[in-house]
Amino acid sequence: MGPLSPTRTMRLWGPRSLGVALGVFMTIGFALQLWGGPFQRRLPGLQLRQSWASTPGPAVPPCPPRQRLVFLKTHKSGSSSVLSLLHRYGDRRGLRFALPARYQFGYPKLFQASRVKGYLPQGGGTQPPFHILCHHMRFNLKEVLQVMPSDSFFFSIVRDPAALARSAFSYYKSTSSAFRKSPSLAAFLDNPRAFYQPGARGDHYARNLLWFDFGLPLPPEMRTKRGNPHPPRDPNPPQLPSGVGLRAHTLDPNALFHPVPTVADGHSQTSSSASLDLRSSSFIQWNLAWLDSVFDLVLVAEYFDESLVLLADALCWGLDDVVGFMHNAQAGGGQGGSAVGDDGLTAEDRQLSARARAWNNLDWALYVHFNRSLWARIKQYGQSRLDSAVAELRARREALAKHCLVGGEALDPKYITDRRFRPFQFGSGKVLGYVLRSGLSLQDQEECERLATPELQYKDKLDAKQFPPTVSVPLKTSRLPSP
Ligand SMILES: Nc1ncnc2c1ncn2[C@@H]1O[C@H](COP(=O)(O)OS(=O)(=O)O)[C@@H](OP(=O)(O)O)[C@H]1O
């Protein structure tokens, strides 16, 4: 193992041991983030291809591509579109995925290494190490580090809690008891406490889902008398050290860097800000600082393409490696790739967004924080350089869509008869998918399939590749001497 970077050291120590030391690193961490940290050391690595046909890459890559990855797949945040890129990248290169037995790692329980197929505890065997861990989990660093090396690239994605709430309400209408009891999202947000009961079935889908997925504990005032509704099964959740409350940072939930937010509902925002009292504000800041020490990059769904360019740069991947299609969009969602902000929404919709952000105050803080980090990194990368990479990425995506897809876009599932491409249908909306054009060359067919395959089918494909079914050889044949 090479020299330990502060970040890697923190990962190895685990959240509890970070204790007071993290207070010192927090300051350094924030400064590093502002300066760009490891990001700045990376060379510009995007090779842009001009057409559909593959072109050979440069003889000597400018930097070695990172291939040990931990992607925290958060819910309803565009994470399936990222997963699709990872599936494709790993599949093409024969990388080993740390896979769940089914499709998630024991969610909503905290991640346990034992949930990974083929995982052998340290010293338990000589199996080759995993490259990519990327399926749904509730993050639990200590256990993740049992499976993946501490110098893996850790990343995740967040989405504006207002858009996420719309998506989650539709998708988890029958899964969350709070949502099920409520006639509409507007009714729910009008008086959430009439429907929401901490500890009830699927309640984590109804409030601060991102915070939950990141494995963070709830602030004391949000815990129930019976205890934390999501009891931290991890013995080492990030703890607020005594005295930190005195050094509280003020959190401005409106402080989005770009664009200027247009949240209009003063009442809801005021109540949101008011609820973030000094104590919970420092609790939130503490947890965000901890996430900064663990995660190398957090993408933002509203700036998906900008995020992908930064991802490609950070991983030293080609731009083509991050060009993919949108997955898991619900028909009529309409919030897909749109930037944050409430322009064009009705007054009612704006009020709903403000209420959703206030209700999901921890997620809003998380979102504001990572949105700010993203724009700080964009500044480092260079706005005009980013703009041209984003334009190139979009042009590539459009060319691929025209080349591969019937209609050049996502379709209602009723048109998808080939089960390999029909996304899993769940929730009250229809989940869109893709139909491949006919007459593709064999090579193009293969590549288009990779782009269009939904996450569950792709996981099954990777599973079958990594764990080929054992062929039982008839006894007589197996006894024959080899030629
Ligand atoms: N590229 C991109 N940019 C912005 N938004 C995107 C993107 N890709 C997917 N989406 C939207 O994300 C929603 C699905 O999120 P997930 O894939 O994380 O869902 S899941 O938890 O895996 O079920 C789903 O939101 P809704 O359509 O509002 O439900 C997708 O439309």
Side-chain angles (χ1 to χ4, degrees):
M1 190 181 279
L4 291 179
S5 66
T7 302
R8 200 193 299 168
T9 311
M10 283 181 187
R11 281 179 189 160
L12 289 173
W13 285 354
R16 175 171 282 172
S17 319
L18 289 176
V20 177
L22 186 56
V24 177
F25 282 129
M26 253 170 77
T27 322
I28 302 169
F30 283 140
L32 277 178
Q33 229 196 355
L34 279 177
W35 297 333
F39 176 69
Q40 267 192 327
R41 293 199 294 275
R42 295 193 178 94
L43 298 169
L46 305 182
Q47 285 82 55
L48 310 182
R49 290 178 199 161
Q50 297 306 318
S51 65
W52 155 254
S54 311
T55 53
V60 185
C63 46
R66 304 272 309 250
Q67 297 191 333
R68 300 259 182 223
L69 310 173
V70 175
F71 173 59
L72 172 63
K73 187 181 188 301
T74 49
H75 285 80
K76 308 322 293 173
S77 57
S79 65
S80 305
S81 301
V82 180
L83 195 72
S84 165
L85 305 173
L86 297 177
H87 279 160
R88 201 176 86 220
Y89 184 92
D91 185 24
R92 288 171 94 182
R93 289 161 182 80
L95 304 184
R96 271 172 59 80
F97 286 81
L99 297 171
R102 287 181 54 75
Y103 300 106
Q104 311 191 347
F105 293 108
Y107 190 87
K109 290 184 184 162
L110 284 162
F111 175 79
Q112 295 295 324
S114 56
R115 293 274 184 175
V116 174
K117 254 184 114 170
Y119 164 75
L120 298 171
Q122 273 170 0
T126 55
Q127 64 158 15
F130 295 112
H131 293 97
I132 302 178
L133 172 66
C134 61
H135 293 88
H136 276 308
M137 67 165 75
R138 186 173 184 216
F139 190 66
N140 182 2
L141 178 64
K142 200 172 147 221
E143 288 289 314
V144 166
L145 290 177
Q146 300 293 315
V147 180
M148 298 297 294
S150 66
D151 62 355
S152 303
F153 185 88
F154 281 63
F155 71 116
S156 187
I157 183 165
V158 295
R159 186 183 190 190
D160 179 354
L164 196 149
R166 288 179 172 92
S167 176
F169 187 85
S170 158
Y171 203 76
Y172 298 115
K173 180 84 176 84
S174 59
T175 314
S176 152
S177 67
F179 286 164
R180 200 176 43 230
K181 284 186 261 168
S182 169
S184 66
L185 180 61
F188 175 75
L189 291 171
D190 202 26
N191 186 11
R193 289 181 200 284
F195 307 101
Y196 176 84
Q197 211 189 345
R201 187 172 157 261
D203 73 309
H204 61 283
Y205 291 120
R207 191 177 196 190
N208 293 316
L209 181 52
L210 290 171
W211 193 268
F212 182 85
D213 284 357
F214 274 96
L216 299 173
L218 291 180
E221 73 275 10
M222 282 173 79
R223 294 178 196 158
T224 56
K225 283 199 184 115
R226 284 177 293 133
N228 190 336
H230 315 302
R233 291 165 185 92
D234 177 5
N236 302 321
Q239 298 292 331
L240 191 66
S242 57
V244 160
L246 301 173
R247 294 186 282 110
H249 301 258
T250 43
L251 178 77
D252 174 9
N254 279 324
L256 280 178
F257 259 29
H258 179 94
V260 178
T262 52
V263 179
D265 186 310
H267 169 73
S268 298
Q269 279 309 306
T270 309
S271 65
S272 162
S273 303
S275 71
L276 296 171
D277 64 9
L278 204 63
R279 195 173 146 79
S280 68
S281 171
S282 46
F283 177 91
I284 290 169
Q285 291 301 329
W286 175 257
N287 282 287
L288 295 178
W290 183 74
L291 291 183
D292 280 342
S293 77
V294 173
F295 285 86
D296 296 289
L297 178 66
V298 175
L299 319 180
V300 175
E302 281 70 22
Y303 304 105
F304 195 76
D305 294 343
E306 291 82 351
S307 298
L308 291 182
V309 170
L310 294 183
L311 180 68
D313 184 72
L315 297 179
C316 199
W317 287 12
L319 193 63
D320 276 348
D321 294 324
V322 295
V323 175
F325 300 150
M326 191 190 262
H327 285 267
N328 227 359
Q330 295 180 86
Q335 296 281 325
S338 69
V340 71
D342 297 329
D343 292 343
L345 294 183
T346 62
E348 237 168 70
D349 278 340
R350 278 202 297 275
Q351 187 186 56
L352 190 135
S353 292
R355 284 182 176 166
R357 290 167 189 154
W359 171 245
N360 295 287
N361 64 327
L362 300 175
D363 279 9
W364 181 235
L366 200 77
Y367 181 75
V368 168
H369 178 78
F370 287 120
N371 187 65
R372 185 182 285 141
S373 314
L374 185 89
W375 286 95
R377 292 178 78 136
I378 287 174
K379 205 169 162 203
Q380 288 291 325
Y381 186 87
Q383 186 69 56
S384 61
R385 190 172 154 226
L386 182 99
D387 290 345
S388 54
V390 165
E392 183 65 34
L393 182 145
R394 288 181 180 157
R396 285 287 301 154
R397 182 186 293 133
E398 208 181 312
L400 285 169
K402 273 192 189 140
H403 187 81
C404 293
L405 306 175
V406 167
E409 60 180 9
L411 298 175
D412 186 292
K414 72 180 174 204
Y415 299 114
I416 310 170
T417 48
D418 186 336
R419 291 176 57 180
R420 291 175 305 157
F421 301 112
R422 193 180 151 85
F424 177 58
Q425 297 299 309
F426 192 78
S428 49
K430 289 178 181 175
V431 181
L432 307 179
Y434 300 103
V435 176
L436 293 195
R437 284 181 54 228
S438 51
L440 296 167
S441 73
L442 250 167
Q443 199 190 344
D444 289 2
Q445 171 82 21
E446 208 177 297
E447 193 52 26
C448 293
E449 279 183 14
R450 287 196 179 108
L451 285 156
T453 302
E455 61 181 286
L456 303 192
Q457 287 92 326
Y458 217 138
K459 187 263 163 184
D460 287 342
K461 182 181 158 185
L462 294 168
D463 205 325
K465 193 170 155 185
Q466 274 181 216
F467 303 96
T470 42
V471 183
S472 56
V473 184
L475 202 56
K476 253 202 272 178
T477 323
S478 66
R479 279 188 185 148
L480 288 175
S482 48

